[in-house]
Amino acid sequence: GFFLPKIKIKINHMEINNEEYIELGRCSKPHAIKGAFALHPYNPEDSALKKGSKVYLIPKEGSKLQAEGQEFEISQISFGNKVITFFKEVNDRNKVEEILPFDIYFKKSDLPEIGEDEFYLDDLIGLSVIDAKNDQKIGKISIFYDNTAQIILEIRGETNIEIHMIDNFVVDTNIEEGFIKLKVP
């Protein structure tokens, strides 16, 4: 998987013009005076964002973006202590401050291709969870998060549980059929 939040959040999805978008991060601060943004992607180590990428910005309270959001193209991006980004349509700090703060969405169909036995963690949201002991459904995956050691899946059902996404617990993951089979401790 690629887009691992570093904080416990539910990854948001939305549909724009019949295309599915997923939330990649947020931005609430400008960078310097030349029209740059200090982005906060949920997974800066493995981001699909690059020069030429198109992103959809959804305004948060205080932003002067259109209420339904607006598409921008990345003209320059650098990853380091901060993710510094310039958008083609923005060229000064005043414009940056007008459109801040916002959430960053990316067209799911523009994500990089992955291998046959790979999946995006985002695809786990909503999967049915099957207990490997008795093949009974115990709930659905509601969110996941990275605790810096591994991915934790939060399962909502009759009882809510959190489980580490490691080989000791994950028996089978079948995105196409909509389930993940786990050894529940």
Side-chain angles (χ1 to χ4, degrees):
F2 289 101
F3 300 101
L4 316 178
K6 294 295 181 193
I7 56 175
K8 188 173 179 177
I9 62 157
K10 180 167 180 8
I11 299 295
N12 292 313
H13 293 250
M14 61 187 295
E15 197 171 291
I16 304 163
N17 298 328
N18 297 321
E19 285 277 358
E20 185 180 1
Y21 284 73
I22 60 169
E23 186 178 0
L24 291 188
R26 59 187 163 72
C27 184
S28 58
K29 294 183 179 178
H31 178 76
I33 61 171
K34 296 187 179 187
F37 295 84
L39 300 186
H40 299 281
Y42 297 135
N43 183 18
E45 293 85 26
D46 205 0
S47 180
L49 298 176
K50 61 184 186 241
K51 182 178 179 176
S53 292
K54 294 193 180 195
V55 293
Y56 207 82
L57 309 182
I58 301 295
K60 295 175 104 174
E61 188 174 331
S63 173
K64 293 185 180 166
L65 279 170
Q66 299 168 12
E68 68 276 3
Q70 195 172 336
E71 186 176 76
F72 288 84
E73 183 178 330
I74 295 174
S75 61
Q76 187 179 337
I77 189 166
S78 63
F79 293 86
N81 290 344
K82 298 178 183 177
V83 178
I84 307 304
T85 307
F86 289 85
F87 294 126
K88 200 175 193 180
E89 301 82 352
V90 179
N91 53 19
D92 67 52
R93 186 175 173 117
N94 291 336
K95 180 68 173 168
V96 169
E97 289 178 347
E98 280 181 20
I99 65 177
L100 287 171
F102 55 81
D103 292 324
I104 307 157
Y105 284 77
F106 193 74
K107 195 182 295 185
K108 193 163 184 179
S109 62
D110 288 345
L111 292 173
E113 288 292 319
I114 54 178
E116 191 173 308
D117 294 333
E118 296 178 314
F119 54 87
Y120 283 107
L121 289 172
D122 180 68
D123 292 334
L124 297 176
I125 303 296
L127 288 186
S128 293
V129 179
I130 309 296
D131 187 337
K133 289 180 208 156
N134 57 20
D135 283 336
Q136 297 294 310
K137 180 179 174 181
I138 58 173
K140 288 185 176 238
I141 297 176
S142 64
I143 63 173
F144 61 86
Y145 62 95
D146 183 349
N147 73 358
T148 68
Q150 61 246 149
I151 301 302
I152 308 295
L153 301 174
E154 188 171 292
I155 301 159
R156 301 258 178 199
E158 222 171 273
T159 58
N160 298 334
I161 60 172
E162 292 184 352
I163 193 163
H164 297 258
M165 190 171 172
I166 57 175
D167 290 341
N168 292 351
F169 299 134
V170 178
V171 174
D172 186 21
T173 303
N174 192 320
I175 304 294
E176 292 78 30
E177 292 187 29
F179 72 87
I180 184 169
K181 192 176 279 193
L182 301 174
K183 291 180 196 169
V184 180

